[in-house]
């Protein structure tokens, strides 16, 4: 592989005009496709195999035209102090608002609060429910404006009016902090390279890669039913790995220049050595992201595949466009150790330079491996303690900022009707195979009334055929509570008994039940996903490092870092620690997708640093250095760049903490803190300590396996005879 990538790097350097033209053409083509593609609607959220999804599908069949998956809005009215919603003036205002709302072309129905008995017991709060034909993201602007205008008219009449539901759902924005993250990355690159040109190359190539990836996702969003968070995830991960991969190629190129090689030769060697690490690091990320498909949640699968595609583009750009741009840069990219005009040129010294910080740190770890190992493991273990209190759920209007009308509507409904009113359960009774459907409907309602935490059970509403009915159940607790989850399981248990007696199926659905089913499905899929992803990556790393213990150590270190990161997420988003600093206005359960999502993404990113750092150690070891010295050599040449890469990745991820979408905010924080734990605790402390303790055993591989494995030559051993002008120059130790 090193020889192939070496030739590709030299070709890209030499044919830089052609390579640059291809990538610019791809960016233009993707941009035109995104601009001309139809606007994407809201991604359908389906969870195959769950009871809640089966109930939704049954409703579509038995209640045609009801738009079970259409958008809804709850227009909540509150009377002025000292007045009631039943007062004639307030009642007239509400009825006029209901009439205005009913005129919309996309409106299916609007409930009158006074006929639907949707007035609180104290008479101060009422609500009207609006049902639409299409989903919230597909709702046209005219319908949304009509909804807002109707509410404003009622406000002008003296009422407090807020709008809940998904009818006003909007595409999330990330805020200015994303730009700050990129700016931090730029500063780190300038400090690392000491040159604006060298620092600009990774940023430029990463932005081009992300531009192509996100534009392609936007262009295909309508055809493939991709949600708004799909492109956000691809941008987040694409920026991070794109900058990192280009950073490693440029850094190796400067090291080759420092050894006295010509620029084309240095570009080829950089692609052949660091490029090999980029390929395998990218493969681990792709495996982790594509592996999300085993969960069998379409939205998560699409997010993973789209992000994996962006990572693949980042790898290709690092291997081709970075060498091409190095050709354009010429002498503006200086050899390692020689600074540009920005930070001043390095002064020649008669005495040997003092060992860099990476060398000094690695030497300390090698001398005190047990102490460093224990400190790192205990520290990560302490950070992981909050993860034991992890509660999972999906965000609803209750997790929105208090500045939004959706959150204020949520609070008003809780005030007037109880916390469970924001998460009603829909029970679907399929009595098609029953002898007396009406009796089954009544029996189901009576059984539900006898359960704990039930406030209201509405009479059964049968379809035209009379063989299926819906029953609405209002819990006594808020949607995300454990008590409500127990109620859902209680209804389903009661339904099992009803089926045994009457052959009728009782299904529980609604957003609350769907959230519960999603959490359980994700929990069930976590272990198989771990086995698949970690297993495949473990095999891949055996090929890369030609060792058993090094990949095993990498996997165990990853588990430590991801558990510590989950603990930090629980502490901030569930317990509320530093919530003000992170802009978390409402604490609550952690998003149910977070654990499995972090496992996938963090594993891929963790293996990046493992590959980049440890391949340099192995490179020194296979060229004759003792194991302890190889660790120090690896840090001498790799610690600075890996540190810069980690800081950049943290900055990019932290930039998404400013998002208005709680899901994106949580992902940004979780990934940023996970990179910190993995890069600076696991890879910079635990890894060298373990390698120092293992010695030569770290690189042990059974002879039969050594013969069976392909030789991918990540260290670039083949370049010693392929490209050296004098034919006998040794491979540079980096």
């Amino acid at each position: 592989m090193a020889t192939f990538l070496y030739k590709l790097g030299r070709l890209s350097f030499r044919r830089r005009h052609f390579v640059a033209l291809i990538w610019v053409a791809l960016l233009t083509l993707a941009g035109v496709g995104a601009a001309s593609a139809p606007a994407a609607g809201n991604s359908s959220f389906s969870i195959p195999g769950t009871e809640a999804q089966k109930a939704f599908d049954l409703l579509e069949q038995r209640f045609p035209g009801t738009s079970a998956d259409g958008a809804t809005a709850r227009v909540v009215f509150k009377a002025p102090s000292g007045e009631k919603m039943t007062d004639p003036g307030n009642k007239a205002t509400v009825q006029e608002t209901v009439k205005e709302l009913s005129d919309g072309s996309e409106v299916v129905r609007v409930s009158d609060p006074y006929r639907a008995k949707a007035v609180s017991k104290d008479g101060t709060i009422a609500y009207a429910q609006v049902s639409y034909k299409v989903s919230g993201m597909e709702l046209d602007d005219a319908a949304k404006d009509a909804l807002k205008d109707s509410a404003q008219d009622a406000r002008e009449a003296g009422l407090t009016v807020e709008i809940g539901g998904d009818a006003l759902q909007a595409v999330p924005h990330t805020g200015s902090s994303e730009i700050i993250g990129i700016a931090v990355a730029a500063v780190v690159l300038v400090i690392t390279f000491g040159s604006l040109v060298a620092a600009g190359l990774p940023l430029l190539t990463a932005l081009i890669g992300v531009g192509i990836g996100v534009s392609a996702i936007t262009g295909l969003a309508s055809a493939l039913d991709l949600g708004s968070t799909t492109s956000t995830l691809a941008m987040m991960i694409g920026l991070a790995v794109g900058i990192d991969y280009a950073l490693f190629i440029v850094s190796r190129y400067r090291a080759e220049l420092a050894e006295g090689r010509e620029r084309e030769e240095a570009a080829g060697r950089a692609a052949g050595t660091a490029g090999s690490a980029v390929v395998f690091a990218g493969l681990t990320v792709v495996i982790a992201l594509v592996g999300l498909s085993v969960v069998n949640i379409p939205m998560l699968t699409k997010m993973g595949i789209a992000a994996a595609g962006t990572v693949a583009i980042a790898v290709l750009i690092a291997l081709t466009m970075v060498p091409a741009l190095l050709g354009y840069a010429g002498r503006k990219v200086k050899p390692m150790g020689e600074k540009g005009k920005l930070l001043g040129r390095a002064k020649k010294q008669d005495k040997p330079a003092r060992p860099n910080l990476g060398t000094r740190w690695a030497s300390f770890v090698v001398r005190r491996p047990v102490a460093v190992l224990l400190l790192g493991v205990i520290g990560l273990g302490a950070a992981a303690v909050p993860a034991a209190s992890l509660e999972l759920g999906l965000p609803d209007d209750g997790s929105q900022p208090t500045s939004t009308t959706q959150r204020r509507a949520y609070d008003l409904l809780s005030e007037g009707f109880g916390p469970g009113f924001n998460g009603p359960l829909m029970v679907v009774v399929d009595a098609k195979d029953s002898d007396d459907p009406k009796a089954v409907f009544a029996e189901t309602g009576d059984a539900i009334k006898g359960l704990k935490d039930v406030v209201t059970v509405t009479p059964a509403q049968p379809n035209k055929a009379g063989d299926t009915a819906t029953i609405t159940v209002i819990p006594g607790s808020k949607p995300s509570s454990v008590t409500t989850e127990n109620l859902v399981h209680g209804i389903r248990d009661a339904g099992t008994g009803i089926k045994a007696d009457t052959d009728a199926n009782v299904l529980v659905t609604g957003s609350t039940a769907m959230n519960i089913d999603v959490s359980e499905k994700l929990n069930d899929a976590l272990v198989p996903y771990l086995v698949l992803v970690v297993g495949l990556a473990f095999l891949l790393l055996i090929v890369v490092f030609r060792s058993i213990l090094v990949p095993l150590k990498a996997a165990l270190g990853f588990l430590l870092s991801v558990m510590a990161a989950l603990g930090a997420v629980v502490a901030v988003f569930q317990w509320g620690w530093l919530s003000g600093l992170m802009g978390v206005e409402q604490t609550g359960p952690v998003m149910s997708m977070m654990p499995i999502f972090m496992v996938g993404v963090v594993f891929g990113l963790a293996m990046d640093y493992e590959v980049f750092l440890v391949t340099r150690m192995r490179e020194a070891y296979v060229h004759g250095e003792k194991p302890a010295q190889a660790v120090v050599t690896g840090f001498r040449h790799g610690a600075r760049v890996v540190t810069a890469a980690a800081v950049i990745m943290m900055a990019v991820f932290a930039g998404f903490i400013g998002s208005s979408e709680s899901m994106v905010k949580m992902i940004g924080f979780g990934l940023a803190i996970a990179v910190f734990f993995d890069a600076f605790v696991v890879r910079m402390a635990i890894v060298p300590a373990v390698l120092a303790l293992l010695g030569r055993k770290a690189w042990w591989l059974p002879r039969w396996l050594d013969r069976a494995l392909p030789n991918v030559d990540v260290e670039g051993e083949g370049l010693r005879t392929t490209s050296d002008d004098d034919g006998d120059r040794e491979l540079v130790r980096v």
Side-chain angles (χ1 to χ4, degrees):
M1 174 177 287
T3 302
F4 169 75
L5 294 179
Y6 161 80
K7 293 178 179 178
L8 179 63
R10 291 195 64 166
L11 179 65
S12 299
F13 186 96
R14 191 166 53 251
R15 305 294 185 188
R16 47 188 172 273
H17 302 307
F18 179 70
V19 172
L21 181 62
I22 289 178
W23 285 112
V24 171
L26 287 175
L27 179 61
T28 304
L29 183 64
V32 171
S36 59
N42 189 29
S43 178
S44 58
F45 187 77
S46 62
I47 312 296
T50 61
E51 180 173 315
Q53 186 63 48
K54 292 176 183 177
F56 269 125
D57 296 340
L58 184 64
L59 286 173
E60 291 287 345
Q61 297 174 10
R62 305 288 174 84
F63 292 83
T66 57
S67 300
D69 59 347
T72 59
R74 279 181 170 177
V75 184
V76 187
F77 306 90
K78 184 176 183 179
S81 179
E83 298 182 18
K84 303 283 187 181
M85 289 305 305
T86 52
D87 293 346
N90 294 335
K91 186 174 182 178
T93 300
V94 172
Q95 290 177 330
E96 179 63 28
T97 303
V98 170
K99 182 179 178 181
E100 291 180 14
L101 291 171
S102 302
D103 294 337
S105 59
E106 294 182 323
V107 175
V108 176
R109 73 180 67 82
V110 182
S111 65
D112 186 317
Y114 304 100
R115 294 181 181 179
K117 298 181 180 180
V119 181
S120 62
K121 290 182 179 180
D122 62 4
T124 60
I125 298 174
Y127 73 91
Q129 181 149 319
V130 187
S131 300
Y132 293 90
K133 299 176 182 177
V134 296
S135 65
M137 293 296 286
E138 295 171 323
L139 203 61
D140 61 35
D141 292 337
K144 294 181 180 181
D145 291 340
L147 181 61
K148 295 175 183 177
D149 292 343
S150 298
Q152 185 59 36
D153 292 342
R155 290 190 188 102
E156 293 174 356
L159 298 178
T160 298
V161 186
E162 304 296 346
I163 305 171
D166 60 353
L168 295 182
Q169 184 176 2
V171 176
H173 62 274
T174 55
S176 59
S177 54
E178 177 188 347
I179 306 300
I180 296 175
I182 296 176
V184 171
V187 172
V188 173
L189 287 170
V190 170
I191 294 174
T192 302
F193 291 134
S195 164
L196 288 175
V197 174
L201 288 180
L203 279 177
L204 177 61
T205 55
L207 290 174
I208 291 175
V210 167
I212 294 173
V214 172
S215 296
I217 292 170
T218 304
L220 298 172
S222 179
L224 300 181
D225 190 29
L226 303 178
S228 57
T229 53
T230 303
S231 60
T232 304
L233 174 64
M235 181 187 302
M236 184 188 300
I237 296 179
L239 270 177
V241 301
I243 294 174
D244 277 7
Y245 294 165
L247 168 64
F248 283 103
I249 297 287
V250 175
S251 178
R252 184 62 183 250
Y253 171 77
R254 297 177 69 230
E256 296 294 339
L257 289 179
E259 292 292 326
R261 292 188 171 86
E262 295 296 330
R263 295 186 177 274
E264 182 178 329
E265 175 71 9
R269 283 181 172 268
T273 51
S276 297
V278 165
V279 169
F280 283 100
L283 276 176
T284 59
V285 179
V286 169
I287 288 173
L289 291 170
V290 174
L292 291 171
S293 59
V294 303
V295 184
N296 196 26
I297 295 180
M299 184 183 77
L300 196 58
T301 299
K302 293 171 185 176
M303 290 172 65
I305 293 176
T310 307
V311 171
I313 292 172
V315 171
L316 292 174
I317 283 183
L319 297 176
T320 57
M321 193 171 187
V322 170
L325 292 181
L326 289 172
Y328 282 116
R331 298 186 180 278
K332 293 180 180 179
V333 177
K334 306 296 182 183
M336 185 169 291
E338 181 180 341
K339 302 294 185 181
K341 294 181 180 179
L342 184 65
L343 297 180
R345 297 183 182 276
K347 296 180 180 180
K348 294 184 179 180
Q349 299 177 346
D350 296 332
K351 59 182 180 180
R354 183 187 180 192
N356 61 24
L357 182 60
T359 302
R360 298 197 301 272
W361 169 250
S363 299
F364 170 78
V365 175
V366 169
R367 290 195 305 269
R368 300 285 188 272
V370 175
V372 173
L373 177 61
L374 289 177
L375 186 61
V377 171
I378 292 173
L380 290 179
V385 168
S389 302
L390 177 67
E391 295 178 9
L392 299 178
L394 286 178
D396 55 20
D397 285 347
S399 62
Q400 295 268 12
T402 53
S403 59
T404 63
T405 186
Q406 291 95 329
R407 171 61 187 277
R408 292 195 292 265
Y410 180 98
D411 292 340
L412 283 176
L413 288 172
S414 296
E415 176 187 340
F417 302 93
F421 199 79
N422 284 292
L425 306 175
M426 179 179 289
V427 179
V428 182
V429 185
D430 178 10
K432 189 174 184 179
D433 298 330
S434 177
D435 297 331
D436 189 354
K438 290 184 178 180
V440 173
F441 301 155
E443 179 183 349
T444 303
D446 292 339
I448 295 173
K449 289 177 183 177
L451 298 175
K452 294 180 180 180
D453 201 49
V454 174
V455 174
T456 305
V457 179
T458 64
Q461 301 293 323
N463 61 350
K464 290 183 179 180
D467 58 3
T468 307
T470 60
I471 300 173
T472 301
V473 180
I474 305 298
S477 303
K478 63 180 182 179
S480 57
S481 67
V482 177
T483 307
T484 301
E485 182 178 348
N486 293 336
L487 175 58
V488 170
H489 291 304
I491 296 173
R492 288 172 174 171
D493 291 341
T496 302
I498 293 172
K499 179 175 176 59
D501 296 337
T502 64
D503 290 330
N505 289 317
V506 178
L507 307 173
V508 185
T509 189
S511 60
T512 301
M514 182 68 82
N515 290 351
I516 292 170
D517 287 352
V518 168
S519 298
E520 292 179 351
K521 189 178 182 69
L522 289 166
N523 285 337
D524 293 341
L526 184 57
V527 173
Y529 175 71
L530 267 173
V531 172
L532 174 68
V533 173
V534 177
L536 288 176
F538 180 78
L539 295 176
L540 182 65
L541 292 179
I542 289 177
V543 174
V544 174
F545 296 126
R546 308 194 77 79
S547 164
I548 298 293
L549 295 180
V550 170
L552 180 61
K553 173 263 309 168
L556 293 177
F558 150 74
L559 291 176
L560 275 175
S561 59
V562 79
M563 289 303 297
L566 275 177
V569 169
V570 170
V572 173
F573 290 89
Q574 187 175 311
W575 291 359
W577 294 4
L578 301 177
S579 58
L581 181 63
M582 298 298 166
V584 180
E585 296 188 16
Q586 179 67 33
T587 59
V590 173
M591 182 183 63
S592 56
M593 293 184 184
M594 196 66 188
I596 199 165
F597 182 79
M598 282 190 66
V599 166
V601 177
V602 175
F603 182 79
L605 300 179
M607 294 306 103
D608 274 4
Y609 301 118
E610 181 75 15
V611 170
F612 287 128
L613 194 59
V614 180
T615 49
R616 297 203 171 197
M617 298 178 190
R618 174 170 173 77
E619 188 174 336
Y621 175 75
V622 299
H623 290 161
E625 291 189 8
K626 294 181 179 180
Q629 183 58 39
V631 171
V632 176
T633 300
F635 266 76
R636 180 169 70 248
H637 295 290
R640 177 183 174 89
V641 180
V642 169
T643 300
V647 172
I648 289 169
M649 195 170 281
M650 288 168 57
V652 172
F653 288 149
F656 289 84
I657 296 175
S659 174
S660 62
E661 177 68 41
S662 59
M663 175 180 174
V664 176
K665 181 189 293 287
M666 190 178 295
I667 289 174
F669 172 80
L671 294 183
I673 197 69
V675 168
F676 172 78
F677 287 143
D678 195 86
F680 293 105
V681 181
V682 174
R683 309 303 154 190
M684 291 290 183
I686 294 177
V687 165
V690 171
L691 291 178
L693 289 172
L694 291 176
R696 295 185 182 277
K697 295 178 182 178
W699 308 108
W700 172 79
L701 187 70
R703 291 185 178 180
W704 64 268
L705 185 57
D706 187 37
R707 291 192 297 268
L709 291 177
N711 183 14
V712 295
D713 191 19
V714 177
E715 299 83 19
E717 184 70 19
L719 302 184
R720 297 177 63 183
T721 57
T722 299
S723 60
D724 281 337
D725 295 333
D726 56 9
D728 59 359
R729 180 182 293 170
E730 291 187 358
L731 180 66
V732 180
R733 294 190 181 109
V734 293

